[in-house]
Amino acid sequence: MESRYRSEDAPSELLALRCYTSRLLGAEPSLVLHGGGNTSVKGTTRDFFGDPVEVCWVKGSGWDLASIEPAGFPAVRLRTLRRMAELEALSDVDMVREQRAALLDPGAPDPSIEAILHAILPHRFVDHTHADAVIALTNAPDGLGRVQALYGERALYVPYVMPGFVLARAVRQAIEGADWSKVEGIVLLQHGLFTFGDDAQTSYERTIRMVGEAERALEAAGALAAPVTAEPAELDPLALAALRGHASRVAGTALVAAADGSAEARGFASRHDVAAIATRGPLTPDHVIRTKRVPVVIDGDAGPAIEAFAANEAAYFARHAGPGHTPLDPAPRWAVVKGAGLVALGTSAKLARQTADIARHTARAIQWAEALGGWSPLGERDLFDMEYWELEQRKLRKGGVRPLLAGQIALVSGGASGIGRATAELFLEEGAAVCVLDKKPEVVERFRGEGALGLVCDVTSADEVDAAIARCVRRFGGLDLLVPNAGDFPPSKKIEALDDALFERTHALNLGAHLKLLRAAVPFLKLGVAPAVVFVASRNVPAPGPGAAAYSTAKAALNQLMRVAALELAEHGVRVSAIHPDKVFDTELWSAEKIALRAANYGISVDGYKRQNLLRAEVTSRDCAEAILALVRMRVTTGAQLPVDGGSDRVV
Ligand code: ZN
């Protein structure tokens, strides 16, 4: 591990400097992952009245060291924090409340639960990480002896206790009479490392140096080279969807998956002893909230393995729960699929990806410690205390508003514009992971990110459709909601002038492509969570118009396809419906000239033409998206045809 500190990049202003070295720590995934770790700096500021006040700016909850800004460091009155450290006992709930009460700005985020620990260290800068190499050493046999041999008098050593007030008390005891001319850091066994210094560079570089020494110790023992690798390969989409579907049902909520078929993940999953070593415990208790204690190990069918995991979770809860404890859902948050790789699970694509990162680091550290003689992480009781910590339980009880489609996985065709785009955007707003297909390349840029995947796809090609669905499943773990939407409206032609080529082309896109999508999606929908299909049909189905034979026949057949699919798929719990939009002018089927021409034909204004319906309402793509969302939410509705047309006197 090398120092990334560059004097020329280091700002002079105190909080900017604190952000700078915090970000350097955050840039090393083997030091901290996704919100882990915390840092602080002490100094004097002025309160509202202009009086000087000594504070500790400590990382606020919800901030990540990799991207932290000055606003992520709430100022807490130092005197209050130090007085709290002198108390004999303090509940975590009281601690959090008193820490908030000691904020200079009551609107600031909650200070880290390690704020008291930061405050009692006499140094100006304090850095705390969960370095893989240090924890791997302390999670091996004679962990204390190993780190003592490494750091000697340069460190203090604190046995594992719960983070928060109890840990602050333990550290307070450990630093009593410390010789600060020698001590550069504190090793928290099975938890992580604290370093400090009177300037930012010293504190940061002490972390880097101590972690570097731990890495060299692992290397010298031959442990660093221990993780096994295998030829990378992607996981089978159907097996992945089955795993994710089972886990979601056991969780009682839809989960997104992040599969890892990298050389390292497959190497770990291929070890003959993986079932034994993967299930002893996590790298650090800090991870338990995201990963649970252990992964599920799957060798063959995912269903029975996940059921057995859930039964174990229930027994574990029964072994340790006290009167006030609320059980967490019993589904695993990561899986070792024997021979194939790792699969992480989360209620959003972001959480799943973060858990996948933690799982990869855990697998690596387990193999390091195995090479040192055996992976021996914390015991079950300590893990339970962390997982069912009062503060986490309170969060759980408070709940909060869950997006309507949280954890669900959707695929929308024709999503670069119009109804498809509005639907994909609404689904994303409602928490779904969304794969968006379009033949236009801009779809890739428009739908890129944690929960979005834009793919260029010609939906009239069965091969391209099959490949797109497989990519969606490999990325998110399954498919629950399908919105076949891509379509076009050909030029108006009376039947006697209608040529076969135009007729066939219109049917290929407005009918054949929808069949190809549905056919490829069905095996995955059967494994999905609250699965539903909504076809975008047309008002032309119940009320066709002259000059639109090709379009109207294609949409009518599409509607019939929907009805047959509703019959066939009901036994699998897949609901299938259609919307019938009309005159949705903010789509690519319409241009300003086309609208003006039609309005002129009828001898009415453009606005009048747009509102030519019973409700005199302009129908938008967003209205169609809302109707589609409503249909996928309707648990006991299938085979439905829902008009989205402002009311048509030809239909009602
Ligand atoms: Zn920590």
Side-chain angles (χ1 to χ4, degrees), residues 64 114-115 162 219 221 235 316 420 438 504 542:
D64 196 304
E114 309 293 18
M162 275 281 285
E219 194 172 17
L235 274 78
Y316 154 76
D438 206 289
E504 278 154 22

Side-chain angles (χ1 to χ4, degrees), residues 37-38 114 128-130 163 188 191 194 286:
N38 40 66
E114 309 293 18
H128 169 48
T129 55
H130 302 143
L188 307 176
H191 174 164
F194 268 86
D286 215 61

